[in-house]
Amino acid sequence: MVATMRLGLSEEDLYLFNQGTAYHSYRFMGAHPMTVSGKQGVRFAVWAPNATEVRVIGEFNEWNGKSHRMKKHGTTGIHVLFIPELRPGELYKYELVTENGEVARKSDPYAFYSERRPGTASIVVDNDGYTWDDAAWMEQKKTKSPYDRPLLIYEAHAGSWKTKGKEHYYTYEELAEDLVPYVAGLGYTHIELMPLAEHPLDQSWGYQVTGFYSPTSRYGTPLQFKKLVDACHRNSIGVILDWVPGHFCKDDHGLRLFDGTPLYEGADSNRAELPLWGTLAFDYSRHEVWSFLISNAIYWMDVFHIDGLRVDAVANMINLHMDKPAHMRTFNAHGGRDNLDALRFLKRLNETVFHYYPDTLMLAEDSSAWPAVTSPTYLGGLGFNFKWNMGWMNDTLRYMSLHPSDRPHHHHLITFSIWYAFSENYVLPLSHDEVVHGKHSLLDKMPGTYEEKFAQLRLFYGYWMTHPGKKLLFMGSEWGQFDEWKDQDMLDWMVLEYDSHRSMLEYVKTLNHTYRKLPSLWERDRDPECFGWIDVNNAAQSVITYIRYGYESCSVIVINFSNQNYPNYRIGMPEPGRYAVVINSSARQFGGNGGSEEVCCITEDVAWHGRDQSISIELPPLTFLLLTPLPGDTL
């Protein structure tokens, strides 16, 4: 015990790790520069309970660990060694001798920095010493509830937003200089970065991880990543990181059979194997896996000031049968398909995150119908504070892909989502998953001529922005990227040489800033009283009209999904008075043909849609209109 304490490891730390409650295990696991008995060096700690011997190897010993054998601490399964004179920057691995005498060379599960692929060594790094300049951001986010404020997320893939050439990526610092002001100027509140934990295969986009604690070296160092997050915060942009606690890849240097036995994965291969992805599921029944994963979530917030995690593939975590052929399906203790251990893990994860960081965003990417995903755990929920609304996304994109002449027969696809819009705290995602693998870009999903595609994408964005729920848009969609996302190449920035794409970018910028400026579009997102239909049943003309209510304001939305012009379209209004046309998606400045040039509408004493007052407007084809009452006239 004395020797362990001398190396900065307490008995309590090790006990809690084995109990699954060491929520800051990165502070004592892995490689840590430190001074012991007056000597500078690095202390290594790794969990490998079934290895007969563990050695530290690296360039410092010519990758021969015979002189650097680690000492196993009691029954904890944790092996420890202090090596004097080592410094940050050293490459290392663990060499493990298994119970059957085989030797495996593994990267450190707690590596804080990793060799750039195809190299697989871990790198000693000192994660302390950076002086943050985001105190104002960190303080102000404690004062605001995420539910009743605008949340407008720009999803980006760091390796293809912009590049300098094939595999010549922008560094984290260069993204801070270019990406951050771009996103801030467009009016987004947050950037969501696709997974940045170290991964061997570019084409996995970061969703098949080997280094859960290591920001990928493709784009630079952990210090540079801190500078990117800091720059975001100084520009009032929050940072959400895609996080993948559901599975890991099988590469030999990673977690698979780490000490020669199934350690991070379960022993039952039918449960561990995920054949659709070619990966392995974590064993959520294992306490040490809880310490590893929950600590990892805390790590990104503690060390890198990350503002939230989008938790990937929740449905796969909680459903033992998801994407499994019949012969691989396993059952829980009650004979059901629910992964009871994963459900317990997710609840503990969210409880722990919100205990330490109550202002954090925890977003579930969940395609299941599991109830109460965003309800507190003490009420039986999973404890997330937001969930992606996959049903809304699937229905609306299917509707928008229809020719306008077919839309009257499928009107429910654009209206049904309101029935469940308040059952969870939703984010409406238009993510990378919808613009790859033959699904077409958002612009190319729209039917019709070149001009009609742009018109329909504009009206669709208007519908999306005014529908209850927070917003997420994938990079390139803001200007109408025509091709699918190509993860090996940068976005098609050259299309901004064309008026149609420049006008789309101007439209999205206007829409974003208008959303943020109008509390009626976000401050009561969880309240069913924030939404009211004016006319939900006009399937014949493919027009919907509705109201969004704030606490002291309202907005009226009119959307014509048909390709017909309605010169005298009458709409019942919530209150008498004058209404300004704040956004007309057919305006020439946005690339439209002008259509109606009305900028103000005055109600008449004509009862319509069950209301005493109404307006009559020209409603151009494929058009979104946003109207707000002029001050002093109505609500």
Side-chain angles (χ1 to χ4, degrees):
M1 177 177 176
V2 174
T4 306
M5 285 294 292
R6 184 170 59 86
L7 295 179
L9 281 161
S10 72
E11 292 291 320
E12 182 182 16
D13 287 337
L14 305 184
Y15 172 79
L16 293 177
F17 181 80
N18 290 141
Q19 294 300 306
T21 54
Y23 300 136
H24 297 85
S25 60
Y26 54 88
R27 294 179 180 173
F28 57 87
M29 299 293 286
H32 291 268
M34 59 173 29
T35 299
V36 175
S37 300
K39 294 183 179 180
Q40 288 185 323
V42 177
R43 185 205 65 211
F44 298 87
V46 65
W47 178 56
N50 301 307
T52 60
E53 188 174 309
V54 183
R55 305 183 281 255
V56 182
I57 59 174
E59 292 179 331
F60 55 89
N61 60 16
E62 298 181 339
W63 302 97
N64 185 334
K66 291 182 179 179
S67 60
H68 291 106
R69 292 179 170 88
M70 305 183 79
K71 182 178 180 180
K72 188 175 182 179
H73 183 273
T75 60
T76 65
I78 295 175
H79 301 249
V80 184
L81 178 67
F82 176 76
I83 303 179
E85 299 182 2
L86 292 191
R87 297 289 189 273
E90 291 280 1
L91 273 65
Y92 72 97
K93 283 188 176 183
Y94 295 119
E95 189 172 65
L96 302 100
V97 181
T98 69
E99 292 174 325
N100 61 12
E102 295 180 354
V103 176
R105 291 184 167 189
K106 295 284 190 176
S107 301
D108 188 349
Y110 281 86
F112 305 124
Y113 188 35
S114 301
E115 190 178 15
R116 182 166 172 170
R117 55 96 177 98
T120 59
S122 303
I123 302 176
V124 176
V125 66
D126 186 351
N127 256 331
D128 298 326
Y130 179 74
T131 302
W132 288 88
D133 191 24
D134 65 349
W137 168 267
M138 299 298 283
E139 191 60 33
Q140 67 83 28
K141 76 176 182 176
K142 297 177 183 178
T143 66
K144 298 179 180 179
S145 165
Y147 305 113
D148 301 326
R149 63 178 174 176
L151 183 58
L152 185 55
I153 304 166
Y154 185 82
E155 184 189 27
H157 177 250
S160 59
W161 184 73
K162 280 186 180 179
T163 67
K164 303 172 188 176
K166 185 173 178 59
E167 296 191 10
H168 191 185
Y169 303 116
Y170 272 49
T171 66
Y172 294 119
E173 284 184 285
E174 289 168 332
L175 288 169
E177 294 171 0
D178 206 351
L179 172 64
V180 175
Y182 175 80
V183 170
L186 287 177
Y188 290 94
T189 65
H190 289 72
I191 294 174
E192 180 176 313
L193 295 166
M194 291 170 66
L196 291 178
E198 194 57 77
H199 53 283
L201 180 66
D202 292 359
Q203 287 85 349
S204 79
W205 311 334
Y207 290 97
Q208 296 186 6
V209 178
T210 50
F212 282 79
Y213 285 81
S214 181
T216 178
S217 54
R218 287 168 177 79
Y219 317 125
T221 67
L223 174 62
Q224 289 176 311
F225 181 53
K226 290 178 183 180
K227 292 180 178 179
L228 170 58
V229 177
D230 210 357
C232 287
H233 290 172
R234 292 196 307 272
N235 285 271
S236 299
I237 298 292
V239 181
I240 300 167
L241 189 64
D242 268 16
W243 187 59
V244 191
H247 62 132
F248 56 90
C249 59
K250 297 181 179 180
D251 293 56
D252 288 340
H253 67 282
L255 299 180
R256 177 177 175 268
L257 297 174
F258 186 77
D259 64 356
T261 65
L263 199 61
Y264 290 88
E265 71 274 30
D268 184 346
S269 62
N270 285 332
R271 182 167 292 192
E273 292 280 350
L274 298 174
L276 185 66
W277 297 332
T279 56
L280 294 169
F282 279 102
D283 180 3
Y284 303 107
S285 70
R286 192 131 200 184
H287 292 159
E288 292 87 353
V289 170
W290 282 37
S291 288
F292 177 77
L293 288 174
I294 296 177
S295 290
N296 188 238
I298 299 296
Y299 168 78
W300 291 105
M301 299 166 195
D302 177 20
V303 176
F304 294 101
H305 289 202
I306 293 298
D307 301 290
L309 299 175
R310 177 267 202 184
V311 180
D312 182 62
V314 169
N316 290 73
M317 294 174 68
I318 65 178
N319 185 346
L320 293 169
H321 294 181
M322 179 70 77
D323 297 325
K324 294 280 185 84
H327 72 276
M328 290 185 65
R329 291 176 181 170
T330 60
F331 298 86
N332 63 34
H334 307 295
R337 65 175 60 187
D338 300 333
N339 189 332
L340 302 179
D341 294 317
L343 290 166
R344 283 190 287 267
F345 164 76
L346 289 171
K347 291 178 181 181
R348 177 66 61 82
L349 165 71
N350 287 316
E351 289 168 352
T352 306
V353 166
F354 288 121
H355 171 76
Y356 289 106
Y357 298 97
D359 52 346
T360 293
L361 297 170
M362 292 294 287
L363 303 93
E365 189 264 325
D366 176 29
S367 58
S368 77
W370 190 268
V373 171
T374 57
S375 291
T377 58
Y378 61 81
L379 294 178
L382 291 186
F384 291 92
N385 52 6
F386 288 99
K387 171 182 173 174
W388 277 22
N389 192 335
M390 312 295 276
W392 172 89
M393 178 271 297
N394 285 317
D395 283 352
T396 55
L397 290 181
R398 180 184 167 199
Y399 179 85
M400 291 305 304
S401 69
L402 297 170
H403 188 275
S405 62
D406 294 326
R407 289 174 180 165
H409 309 294
H410 300 275
H411 192 68
H412 65 284
L413 292 175
I414 209 69
T415 62
F416 177 69
S417 58
I418 295 299
W419 284 100
Y420 61 88
F422 309 102
S423 61
E424 300 276 8
N425 303 323
Y426 279 122
V427 171
L428 308 183
L430 298 171
S431 75
H432 67 276
D433 276 330
E434 310 319 314
V435 295
V436 290
H437 301 323
K439 295 179 183 178
H440 300 269
S441 68
L442 293 182
L443 178 66
D444 201 30
K445 292 179 192 291
M446 308 295 142
T449 65
Y450 182 79
E451 292 77 12
E452 287 173 335
K453 287 179 179 291
F454 280 94
Q456 293 187 87
L457 188 58
R458 289 194 300 270
L459 78 83
F460 175 59
Y461 284 164
Y463 164 76
W464 164 68
M465 193 67 77
T466 56
H467 188 288
K470 309 308 182 184
K471 324 296 175 187
L472 178 143
L473 187 67
F474 184 59
M475 64 181 194
S477 302
E478 70 272 19
W479 68 64
Q481 169 106 356
F482 205 94
D483 289 341
E484 284 189 345
W485 173 47
K486 304 176 287 291
D487 58 88
Q488 297 295 296
D489 299 299
M490 73 173 175
L491 296 176
D492 295 334
W493 292 92
M494 76 290 293
V495 302
L496 288 173
E497 298 174 7
Y498 298 94
D499 289 342
S500 52
H501 294 279
R502 283 200 306 272
S503 298
M504 177 62 76
L505 183 62
E506 177 64 24
Y507 175 73
V508 168
K509 180 179 179 179
T510 300
L511 196 61
N512 288 353
H513 283 282
T514 300
Y515 164 78
R516 294 187 63 171
K517 186 169 60 177
L518 296 179
S520 58
L521 300 183
W522 44 261
E523 70 178 354
R524 297 175 67 185
D525 264 332
R526 296 191 297 170
D527 181 359
E529 298 299 317
C530 81
F531 182 92
W533 285 112
I534 295 175
D535 186 6
V536 64
N537 296 315
N538 192 355
Q541 293 180 297
S542 296
V543 176
I544 58 174
T545 49
Y546 52 92
I547 308 170
R548 287 298 309 274
Y549 293 101
Y551 292 114
E552 297 179 353
S553 62
C554 75
S555 299
V556 174
I557 293 90
V558 187
I559 310 178
N560 181 7
F561 293 98
S562 81
N563 54 9
Q564 303 299 310
N565 183 62
Y566 302 121
N568 297 292
Y569 195 86
R570 187 164 290 278
I571 305 161
M573 300 299 280
E575 296 287 343
R578 296 181 303 154
Y579 288 78
V581 179
V582 178
I583 293 182
N584 176 354
S585 69
S586 292
R588 296 187 190 280
Q589 72 183 98
F590 302 136
N593 58 11
S596 172
E597 299 293 342
E598 294 175 277
V599 296
C600 180
C601 305
I602 304 174
T603 60
E604 303 172 289
D605 292 329
V606 177
W608 209 259
H609 293 140
R611 301 173 187 272
D612 294 334
Q613 295 281 314
S614 63
I615 59 173
S616 179
I617 61 171
E618 179 182 355
L619 184 55
L622 303 174
T623 294
F624 161 84
L625 298 176
L626 173 61
L627 297 84
T628 60
L630 287 168
D633 282 63
T634 59
L635 294 178

